[in-house]
Amino acid sequence: MKLEGRHQRSITRTADGRGARILDQRRLPWEVVWVELRSAEEAERAIREMWTRGAPLIGATAAYGLAIALAADGSDAALDAAHALLLASRPTAVNLRWALDAVAATVRPLPPAERGAAAFAHADAICDEDVALNRAIGEHGLALFRELHARHPDRPLNILTHCNAGWLATVDYGTATAPIYLAHDAGIPVHVWVDETRPRNQGALLTAFELAGHGVPHTVIVDNAGGHLMMQGQVDAVIVGTDRVTANGDVCNKIGTYLKALAAQDNDVPFYVALPYTTFDAATATGAEVPIEERSGDEVTTVAGEGGTIRVTASRAANPAFDVTPARLVTGYLTERGLLDMV
């Protein structure tokens, strides 16, 4: 990612190697604030309160949280307690359990004194792999975008995306944004329609921040404008990320994704889902079985901006954070292995 004039990752170890350093995404785009996590409890809070978010990045943060705990106490009891604490931080993204289970499986056979260092090494490897996976997704997506642009070479390629599936949701590159960045860098004229993505406005605040930093032309739109733009022929493709894809290909992603998929199908606009293998949940048969996180209604009744937080309604609000897009509405799954019709 390009931030503060140089390439950086969204999560790294602290300078002393004994903690994790993350961006406080609640402060973006108004302030760039880095936070150091020094305990499993701090990592859990950062995930639960969405200082850090996005399925792959949640997994990486949890892996470091587990490593921090084991460096302090490598006992079985400490391992089990930290694993349970971090796993409960958010229920929907499958990368969280995947990362925690992977680190736990690596360290459990080891003597307690060796578990902390091994856990940190595994967390580092998870981050390195995430960067490689997203880069590969971008390369395959670049080939797809070349093909899409060749159909209308006289104008920019118009891509619509929902929520934030960029480097702020991963360790680097992003999933849905990786092909956008690579296409832009390759000279393909790309324009991105950025859904604001209520209620936390991850599109308007985070995706737009990313694209601006990389120099990619983009326009923020209200969530309900996508169908109109598709009907007007102003969207060549929709590409989104995902927090979990089930065995049958159902896609669980930020609330509102399903509506974009419906509009895309009605207007013959291809709808792509970008994901690494770590977001595929073979153990869950369909999207109907995925636990949908219900977050505080305060996220709906208030809006945070540069000047602070204001209340926008006096009524009670419901806040389901995710929805499920049936596999039948997905044109293809963009993975590190290429474009797949079904996972």
Side-chain angles (χ1 to χ4, degrees):
M1 67 183 190
K2 294 181 179 178
L3 183 64
E4 299 175 318
R6 59 191 179 92
H7 182 268
Q8 302 187 60
R9 288 185 174 186
S10 58
I11 185 169
T12 62
R13 282 211 224 180
T14 53
D16 62 10
R18 297 195 293 268
R21 180 174 178 264
I22 63 167
L23 279 165
D24 185 349
Q25 297 189 26
R26 301 169 303 170
R27 311 284 284 273
L28 293 173
W30 319 115
E31 293 181 279
V32 175
V33 177
W34 292 94
V35 177
E36 292 190 353
L37 306 177
R38 294 289 182 173
S39 68
E41 289 76 16
E42 289 181 356
E44 185 276 336
R45 182 185 177 195
I47 295 170
R48 175 171 44 84
E49 295 184 359
M50 294 179 68
W51 305 10
T52 188
R53 23 76 46 213
L57 188 53
I58 286 173
T61 305
Y64 278 121
L66 188 55
I68 294 167
L70 291 172
D73 180 354
S75 68
D76 285 349
L79 170 58
D80 293 340
H83 186 288
L85 172 74
L86 291 159
L87 183 60
S89 58
R90 295 195 69 186
T92 303
V94 73
N95 301 64
L96 176 63
R97 178 182 288 277
W98 171 84
L100 289 170
D101 287 352
V103 174
T106 294
V107 304
R108 200 172 289 279
L110 301 176
E114 298 178 10
R115 286 176 171 177
F120 267 115
H122 198 122
D124 292 343
I126 285 174
C127 290
D128 290 342
E129 182 187 42
D130 183 70
V131 175
L133 291 172
N134 293 333
R135 173 75 191 195
I137 289 171
E139 294 287 358
H140 292 300
L142 174 59
L144 172 64
F145 281 14
R146 287 190 192 279
E147 177 185 332
L148 290 172
H149 182 245
R151 300 176 187 178
H152 304 284
D154 57 328
R155 61 170 175 79
L157 178 67
N158 286 300
I159 303 296
L160 187 146
T161 191
H162 187 67
C163 195
N164 172 258
W167 53 254
L168 286 168
T170 66
V171 180
D172 204 354
Y173 287 104
T175 54
T177 58
I180 293 172
Y181 293 136
L182 267 61
H184 173 79
D185 293 347
I188 298 173
V190 180
H191 169 264
V192 184
W193 297 109
V194 180
D195 275 358
E196 60 182 346
T197 319
R198 284 277 294 147
R200 294 186 67 96
N201 291 330
Q202 292 105 317
L205 299 178
L206 303 180
T207 302
F209 173 75
E210 284 192 32
L211 295 173
H214 203 87
V216 179
H218 62 281
T219 305
V220 175
I221 56 173
V222 298
D223 288 349
N224 292 331
H228 167 74
L229 293 172
M230 294 181 211
M231 188 176 288
Q232 298 297 313
Q234 297 186 61
V235 179
D236 296 305
V238 179
I239 184 167
V240 300
T242 176
D243 289 80
R244 186 186 307 217
V245 173
T246 56
N248 72 330
D250 288 349
V251 175
C252 185
N253 193 47
K254 178 65 179 180
I255 193 76
T257 304
Y258 174 47
L259 296 180
K260 295 301 178 295
L262 287 171
Q265 183 186 62
D266 193 53
N267 290 280
D268 294 320
V269 173
F271 181 92
Y272 298 105
V273 177
L275 74 151
Y277 80 90
T278 55
T279 309
F280 177 54
D281 181 13
T284 301
T286 73
E289 301 175 24
V290 176
I292 301 298
E293 180 181 6
E294 179 76 27
R295 294 185 61 81
S296 170
D298 291 345
E299 294 181 349
V300 178
T301 60
T302 62
V303 174
E306 186 175 13
T309 300
I310 62 170
R311 192 166 182 85
V312 293
T313 180
S315 297
R316 177 179 177 273
N319 187 17
F322 302 90
D323 60 23
V324 174
T325 298
R328 61 182 171 80
L329 299 178
V330 179
T331 305
Y333 303 83
L334 192 58
T335 77
E336 71 278 1
R337 294 175 288 165
L339 182 62
L340 309 178
D341 292 332
M342 280 292 291
V343 174

